[in-house]
């Protein structure tokens, strides 16, 4: 069973920063694009940021310039540095590992970590 272990959520005031971490097994980490999604109550789960083993990361429009995703291949961990947080960033944040094989795509999810930004 694939496990993605998340940490780093919490409560922060608007303008503050948080860093989320997600650790996967070496096998999954090296073969997957790693990303973060978020879901606010009553809303769909949206992409926040994603990064493959190579190439440039991608970001959701609402977080560009404020959030940074990075991968640590030694620790098999993906980070999401969130700066200048806004109340609208409040959501449950999920780590995602997406592994592609010819003809198949496999998505693995963490349990979610809550981020709450107070105004």
């Amino acid at each position: 069973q694939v496990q993605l272990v998340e940490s780093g959520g919490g409560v922060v005031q608007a303008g503050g920063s948080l860093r989320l971490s997600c650790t996967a097994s070496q096998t999954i980490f090296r073969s997957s694009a790693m990303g973060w999604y978020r879901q606010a109550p009553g809303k769909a789960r949206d992409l926040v940021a994603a990064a493959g083993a190579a190439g440039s990361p991608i970001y959701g429009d609402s977080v560009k310039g404020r959030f940074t995703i990075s991968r640590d291949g030694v620790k098999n961990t993906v980070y999401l540095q969130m700066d200048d947080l806004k109340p609208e960033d409040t959501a449950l944040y999920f780590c995602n590992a997406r592994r592609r094989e010819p003809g198949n795509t496999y998505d693995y999810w963490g349990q979610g970590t809550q981020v709450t930004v107070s105004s």
Side-chain angles (χ1 to χ4, degrees):
Q1 184 174 355
V2 174
Q3 279 193 315
L4 302 177
V5 181
E6 302 158 342
S7 62
V11 180
V12 64
Q13 288 189 330
S17 297
L18 284 173
R19 189 177 78 157
L20 306 183
S21 302
C22 172
T23 301
S25 68
Q26 179 176 289
T27 301
I28 290 297
F29 188 86
R30 292 186 177 184
S31 62
S32 302
M34 300 296 296
W36 291 92
Y37 287 71
R38 68 186 182 186
Q39 188 168 19
K43 296 191 176 181
R45 188 175 296 189
D46 291 327
L47 173 71
V48 177
S56 299
I58 59 173
Y59 294 94
D61 288 341
S62 62
V63 307
K64 286 179 181 177
R66 300 188 297 121
F67 291 10
T68 304
I69 190 170
S70 60
R71 296 169 61 116
D72 184 329
V74 174
K75 297 182 179 180
N76 300 319
T77 298
V78 61
Y79 301 99
L80 184 68
Q81 177 67 40
M82 304 185 292
D83 297 318
D84 190 23
L85 282 159
K86 303 177 181 181
E88 51 264 42
D89 295 318
T90 295
L92 190 60
Y93 283 69
F94 295 91
C95 179
N96 169 262
R98 175 163 294 172
R99 182 166 59 88
R100 298 185 189 274
E101 296 178 353
N104 287 293
T105 298
Y106 301 92
D107 276 305
Y108 307 100
W109 296 94
Q111 77 281 3
T113 185
Q114 179 68 37
V115 172
T116 301
V117 184
S118 61
S119 57

